[in-house]
Amino acid sequence: MSSTGRGVTSPLCFSSDPNSAPCPALNKYGGAREVHSDRLCNGKDFLRNSTFGFEKFERLSWSQIITNTTITVTDEPDTLFQKVSVLVKGHDRSVLDSYEFFATMAAKELGITLGNVFEPPKDVLRLTLLKSIHIFKKHRVQYEMRTHYRCLELFRLTGSTAQVYLEYIQRNLPEGVAMEVSKIAVAKVPEHILQPMWEEPTADNAPSPTADLKG
Amino acid sequence: MAAHTTKICLSLGRINGPGFGQYASLNRATYATALSTSNFTGNKGGPDRGGRGAFVRRPRREPGEPRTEKMDSQQDWSAVYPSAASFRPGSVPLPVRMGYPVKGGVPSEKRGNLELIKIPNFLHLTPAAIKKHCEALKPFCTEWPAGLDSDGDLDKHLPIQIETTDYVSAGPSVRNPAARVVTLRVRLSSLNLDEHAREKMLKLLGDRYCKDTDILTITTDSCPLKQQNTDYAMYLLTVLYHEAWKTEAWESEMTRADRREYIWEDSASQQNVLDTLARMGVGEGEAPPREVLLARPEVQQYRDSVTRLKNEGESEGATLRYREAVKKLLSL
């Protein structure tokens, strides 16, 4: 059964992984420049707005962005993710609470199946250092750094949906919060692994070295 | 206030009046024209204006009433906070207080409260705003294919799992070298392998195979880019598969010691059992044939216990089972 869907190019998409090879169908800003030029062709002088940077993109209202974008549907197959696990780390638990509310609500609105949403135990890094720069070994000062975690598990997402959701989540990541996203993509067994290549009958004239292959 | 008054008088001279009383004497020649006379640049608070009292500032334009007074309760909040911005007390019509209170006091109010400005706020992500955003984002999402709803279906049709991790954080660099690690997992039962190929594959895999779940795990991180590592993992899988099907000439020289698992049939242990039973005189009269002897339940139990001991290593349970089997076999 074919499991391929058609991939949808998001205007806002650029890879959340800086190490991955850039997608060839998109330009440096992942297609957003098309949005820019749509807006800028509405009578505005491009030179005057040459400083219209990517940062200002966020200050446009959503309705303005969407009326001007074109949704392109490509025929390349969508990747399928069995599970996407988002772990956010921060120093303040209440910020992570609010972020969790936002992320779970966004997932519900976009129709993504949410799995477990839980809070792994916090990590505390404690340092005991000398208080004075010279001698006074008995007098120390202690610091600690607390890292709180929150984990969301999402199941059965397509590549386009995952890209849209993750980009939305990551653009709204608050200051001082880090994120790790681990994705499990599923794929078919590729054609070259379906049959052993040694079994090809008399593909070449010379007898293969494994002529005594036992079935 | 005096600063705003528009004096239509072309006077040149000292200006003394209400609002200027805080200054002892004011020697300034100003033109009071029809425009607002608030452009006093002379004594406009220098770096150290703390010498004269609490509020030594030049009277300047009143800030006016905060926007919160004019806000309607049915307004569109996403117009007030369309994107992430720091807390503005004049824009948020809530009586928020924050901060550790002084003794006998309450947390400080929102006006001029640095704690409220420092902490990230989610005022731009109210439920209404999230709904709006998601409505706009929905056209870019695609649906999950219908027939793959359970894990079993996924396993059947799409047996290969590739796990990758991305990292998002703020720092001097956006790159994270741990992002290049790729883990490929596959069930061996979903690959087309015959017995010999499976045995050879298990020998090649060693630790990368988990017997309980039948999952082969290949982790690659030797290449600098994630795409390269996924390609390398697929290459490794391909090579393993084809090598497993190949039979080399020297494989026919395999001995019992080379085998991955212990097999009881045709082993010294089996021969010992047969000899022992023969000597015990089991089966009165002539010795029954080998197959009959081997098919006896005690012999089968002994065979199981020895195989378990050899394959799974020694443990208390395994040793006890062996003991029971031996006792039964020797009818002690």
Side-chain angles (χ1 to χ4, degrees):
Chain A
M1 131 177 326
S2 164
S3 58
T4 60
R6 286 162 72 194
V8 174
T9 311
S10 156
L12 303 177
C13 89
F14 58 74
S15 172
S16 54
D17 161 42
N19 288 343
S20 75
C23 182
L26 306 167
N27 60 21
K28 187 169 132 194
Y29 292 113
R33 198 172 271 166
E34 276 85 4
V35 182
H36 284 184
S37 43
D38 280 342
R39 268 191 60 80
L40 295 169
C41 285
N42 295 341
K44 291 194 182 171
D45 186 7
F46 181 76
L47 288 178
R48 246 193 292 129
N49 286 322
S50 57
T51 54
F52 188 60
F54 204 72
E55 315 74 42
K56 290 195 190 172
F57 191 56
E58 287 177 342
R59 295 196 200 127
L60 297 173
S61 77
W62 282 95
S63 51
Q64 277 178 307
I65 298 172
I66 294 309
T67 46
N68 286 330
T69 49
T70 44
I71 301 175
T72 47
V73 181
T74 54
D75 271 330
E76 60 177 87
D78 228 347
T79 34
L80 294 173
F81 293 110
Q82 187 207 12
K83 178 169 158 190
V84 173
S85 165
V86 174
L87 175 79
V88 271
K89 313 196 279 193
H91 292 302
D92 200 331
R93 218 171 144 253
S94 39
V95 169
L96 294 183
D97 285 338
S98 306
Y99 190 75
E100 180 201 316
F101 174 80
F102 154 67
T104 46
M105 187 167 185
K108 274 200 250 320
E109 292 295 316
L110 289 175
I112 298 174
T113 29
L114 257 184
N116 206 7
V117 176
F118 61 101
E119 182 181 0
K122 67 176 186 282
D123 283 334
V124 185
L125 176 74
R126 291 192 176 102
L127 301 171
T128 308
L129 307 172
L130 294 174
K131 204 187 248 186
S132 167
I133 51 171
H134 182 57
I135 52 172
F136 304 120
K137 191 71 174 230
K138 282 195 283 190
H139 302 92
R140 313 256 181 149
V141 68
Q142 290 184 314
Y143 298 102
E144 72 176 24
M145 193 151 65
R146 295 179 182 185
T147 308
H148 300 269
Y149 300 96
R150 208 55 70 99
C151 189
L152 315 169
E153 287 175 0
L154 316 158
F155 293 101
R156 294 183 289 279
L157 305 180
T158 54
S160 308
T161 310
Q163 203 167 35
V164 166
Y165 178 74
L166 287 174
E167 186 166 346
Y168 181 49
I169 291 288
Q170 285 165 8
R171 275 185 189 274
N172 290 307
L173 201 63
E175 307 76 61
V177 174
M179 182 194 278
E180 288 174 14
V181 177
S182 77
K183 307 184 229 184
I184 299 184
V186 283
K188 282 197 287 201
V189 177
E191 294 87 30
H192 45 270
I193 305 187
L194 287 176
Q195 292 293 330
M197 62 198 235
W198 320 112
E199 251 178 14
E200 272 151 20
T202 63
D204 23 283
N205 290 332
S208 65
T210 58
D212 56 342
L213 176 70
K214 296 185 269 293
Chain B
M1 188 150 133
H4 275 306
T5 47
T6 311
K7 292 195 172 74
I8 310 182
C9 59
L10 297 163
S11 66
L12 182 70
R14 217 172 270 210
I15 296 179
N16 276 326
F20 295 99
Q22 59 235 71
Y23 300 101
S25 65
L26 187 60
N27 285 327
R28 181 163 297 107
T30 52
Y31 288 94
T33 63
L35 299 172
S36 165
T37 55
S38 60
N39 308 346
F40 295 119
T41 49
N43 243 3
K44 195 164 190 165
D48 63 334
R49 38 167 132 121
R52 302 231 196 150
F55 218 84
V56 196
R57 192 183 296 217
R58 272 278 163 197
R60 41 179 260 225
R61 187 166 61 96
E62 267 288 321
E65 62 165 4
R67 190 174 156 192
T68 50
E69 313 293 327
K70 302 174 215 148
M71 276 179 179
D72 179 28
S73 59
Q74 300 304 317
Q75 71 174 337
D76 180 23
W77 181 254
S78 49
V80 181
Y81 267 87
S83 65
S86 50
F87 183 84
R88 287 184 291 264
S91 300
V92 179
L94 299 168
V96 186
R97 287 181 171 270
M98 184 153 165
Y100 193 80
V102 290
K103 191 169 163 186
V106 292
S108 338
E109 60 166 11
K110 65 178 179 179
R111 198 153 299 283
N113 194 332
L114 193 61
E115 295 297 319
L116 278 168
I117 299 175
K118 284 193 305 197
I119 196 79
N121 64 61
F122 284 78
L123 293 164
H124 57 296
L125 292 173
T126 49
I130 299 175
K131 285 197 174 74
K132 253 210 261 180
H133 297 162
C134 291
E135 278 311 306
L137 288 174
K138 259 209 164 20
F140 299 101
C141 297
T142 48
E143 279 204 8
W144 183 257
L148 294 171
D149 283 323
S150 74
D151 277 349
D153 287 334
L154 266 186
D155 215 23
K156 194 167 87 172
H157 300 289
L158 302 164
I160 295 190
Q161 290 183 348
I162 297 182
E163 181 171 0
T164 52
T165 310
D166 296 326
Y167 299 87
V168 180
S169 67
S173 164
V174 288
R175 314 284 166 184
N176 191 324
R180 72 183 196 283
V181 177
V182 170
T183 304
L184 185 143
R185 286 194 187 90
V186 127
R187 265 183 213 281
L188 277 193
S189 48
S190 46
L191 297 176
N192 177 22
L193 292 168
D194 69 348
E195 275 185 43
H196 161 264
R198 198 187 148 83
E199 280 300 312
K200 190 162 175 187
M201 177 81 105
L202 292 179
K203 256 192 180 283
L204 287 170
L205 291 176
D207 264 343
R208 293 176 190 83
Y209 176 73
C210 171
K211 221 171 21 177
D212 302 319
T213 53
D214 189 35
I215 290 181
L216 144 70
T217 310
I218 295 177
T219 306
T220 39
D221 65 347
S222 36
C223 306
L225 292 186
K226 190 186 292 192
Q227 185 58 42
Q228 294 172 346
N229 279 316
T230 42
D231 291 341
Y232 181 51
M234 291 306 295
Y235 162 76
L236 283 179
L237 183 65
T238 314
V239 163
L240 275 170
Y241 179 78
H242 291 297
E243 283 296 316
W245 273 96
K246 233 203 287 192
T247 310
E248 306 278 354
W250 40 260
E251 282 186 38
S252 52
E253 298 162 22
M254 185 157 74
T255 60
R256 279 188 69 85
D258 294 326
R259 289 199 184 274
R260 197 176 46 90
E261 279 187 339
Y262 176 81
I263 301 175
W264 192 73
E265 278 76 22
D266 296 329
S267 71
S269 176
Q270 185 189 41
Q271 199 51 49
N272 283 342
V273 165
L274 288 172
D275 291 340
T276 313
L277 284 177
R279 249 182 277 149
M280 269 168 40
V282 158
E284 298 76 17
E286 82 283 358
R290 257 185 91 211
E291 289 74 21
V292 173
L293 271 180
L294 288 176
R296 291 174 63 152
E298 305 91 56
V299 178
Q300 291 294 313
Q301 194 183 356
Y302 180 77
R303 169 180 158 269
D304 288 335
S305 65
V306 169
T307 320
R308 199 166 298 177
L309 258 183
K310 293 269 187 176
N311 284 335
E312 289 163 23
E314 291 196 4
S315 69
E316 221 181 289
T319 329
L320 280 172
R321 261 194 295 263
Y322 177 73
R323 179 170 158 231
E324 294 307 315
V326 166
K327 276 176 24 179
K328 255 207 209 142
L329 190 67
L330 303 178
S331 9
L332 293 172

